[in-house]
């Protein structure tokens, strides 16, 4: 993905007929893969509390999700994804209020920044793509639908569009909302992300730390309710 692209997404709970419905709508199965995600944060979860999510994905490298601009409400969320080491390191130093640590890469700054592994799990993913009829692929982004099953028994789906400019976000939101409706997703459904469910099940103290922090300050996107999270 190009550096600094804006990810607009909505998570949902897939049903037994979701893949069949995607086929009916003209979707095509791109691939099925299995991968491990490892998330890193400080012992106090400083990144997550500021709505930043640092992940190393098997086969893909490092990614830092950062909060997008305000103004996205409802079941949708918007993030900027950083995927180059220099950009990630610079943002980490900014969020953690640390001095610039040079160009040694993300792995080299984990220890100096006090970052440690907080979650690790394997996901089986089926990735679908589809284009609304009449759309020009050169001008209109494909909609992507990922159907994930984590190795701790949780299944979640995600409808996603990637755009280059803030001005494109409203159109992307409209397309995501339309597709979600066609997939039978309730209008206000907010499915938890895999990471948050992992913390809730296996690191309940960290999960409670996030909830408590968000009751006294600005809440990261998707943490409005214990059952509705994004990460």
């Amino acid at each position: 993905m190009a550096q600094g692209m804006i990810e607009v997404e909505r998570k949902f709970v897939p049903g037994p007929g979701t893949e069949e419905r995607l086929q009916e709508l003209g979707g095509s199965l791109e691939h099925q893969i299995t991968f491990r995600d490892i998330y890193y944060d400080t012992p106090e979860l400083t990144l997550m509390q500021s709505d930043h999510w640092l992940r190393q994905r098997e086969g893909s490298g490092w990614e830092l999700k950062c909060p997008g601009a305000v103004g996205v409400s409802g079941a949708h969320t918007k993030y900027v994804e950083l995927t180059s080491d220099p950009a990630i390191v610079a943002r980490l130093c900014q969020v953690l209020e640390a001095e610039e640590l040079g160009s040694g890469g993300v792995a080299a700054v984990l220890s100096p920044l006090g970052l440690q592994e907080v979650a690790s799990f394997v996901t089986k993913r089926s990735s679908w793509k589809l284009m609304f009829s009449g759309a020009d692929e050169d001008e209109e982004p494909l909609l992507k639908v990922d159907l994930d099953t984590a190795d701790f028994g949780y299944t979640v789906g995600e409808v996603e569009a990637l755009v280059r400019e803030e001005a494109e976000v409203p159109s992307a939101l409209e397309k995501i909302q339309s597709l979600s409706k066609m997939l039978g997703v309730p209008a206000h459904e907010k499915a938890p992300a895999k990471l948050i469910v992992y913390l809730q099940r296996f690191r309940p103290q960290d999960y409670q730390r996030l909830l408590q922090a968000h009751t006294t300050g600005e809440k990261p996107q998707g943490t409005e309710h214990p059952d509705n999270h994004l990460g």
Side-chain angles (χ1 to χ4, degrees):
M1 188 183 72
Q3 186 64 33
M5 291 284 283
I6 301 171
E7 175 192 74
V8 187
E9 63 183 33
R10 179 182 184 184
K11 296 195 185 302
F12 67 96
V13 179
T18 298
E19 291 191 331
E20 181 178 352
R21 182 60 177 149
L22 283 168
Q23 288 180 317
E24 293 173 352
L25 294 171
S28 59
L29 179 63
E30 281 193 292
H31 55 252
Q32 293 177 307
I33 58 175
T34 300
F35 53 86
R36 178 176 292 277
D37 283 328
I38 304 175
Y39 286 85
Y40 292 83
D41 209 329
T42 67
E44 300 78 24
L45 304 186
T46 306
L47 293 178
M48 294 182 191
Q49 290 190 45
S50 62
D51 205 13
H52 288 71
W53 312 85
L54 178 63
R55 178 185 72 200
Q56 184 182 36
R57 172 162 293 172
E58 180 182 19
S60 299
W62 293 96
E63 176 186 276
L64 180 64
K65 279 192 178 185
C66 309
V70 297
V72 178
S73 58
H76 307 91
T77 54
K78 180 174 63 174
Y79 284 92
V80 174
E81 295 184 332
L82 303 180
T83 55
S84 77
D85 276 30
I88 292 173
V89 171
R91 186 62 173 258
L92 289 174
C93 291
Q94 178 185 356
V95 174
L96 298 174
E97 299 181 349
E99 295 182 2
E100 291 292 336
L101 297 174
S103 56
V106 177
V109 304
L110 294 178
S111 180
L113 291 176
L115 297 170
Q116 62 187 28
E117 180 181 315
V118 296
S120 176
F121 50 83
V122 174
T123 296
K124 293 182 179 180
R125 166 172 292 178
S126 296
S127 290
W128 295 74
K129 66 177 181 180
L130 70 161
M131 177 74 69
F132 278 95
S133 60
D136 184 345
E137 186 171 346
D138 293 332
E139 299 180 1
E140 295 285 344
L142 287 167
L143 285 181
K144 180 180 176 183
V145 180
D146 289 332
L147 305 178
D148 289 355
T149 300
D151 60 1
F152 54 90
Y154 178 61
T155 299
V156 65
E158 178 181 284
V159 183
E160 173 189 288
L162 294 174
V163 298
R164 295 179 177 84
E165 306 291 342
E166 287 286 340
E168 300 175 86
V169 170
S171 176
L173 287 172
E174 183 177 347
K175 291 178 174 61
I176 289 172
Q177 184 176 15
S178 296
L179 178 57
S180 298
K181 184 176 181 179
M182 288 187 282
L183 291 175
V185 179
H188 300 290
E189 178 180 271
K190 298 180 182 180
K194 299 188 298 293
L195 172 60
I196 299 300
V197 175
Y198 179 96
L199 294 176
Q200 186 178 20
R201 293 185 184 180
F202 304 109
R203 301 186 65 144
Q205 290 182 333
D206 284 340
Y207 175 79
Q208 290 300 322
R209 185 198 300 270
L210 285 178
L211 292 187
Q212 291 169 5
H214 302 151
T215 60
T216 57
E218 184 177 352
K219 303 173 183 179
Q221 301 181 53
T223 56
E224 299 87 348
H225 185 276
D227 292 329
N228 301 322
H229 301 282
L230 182 79

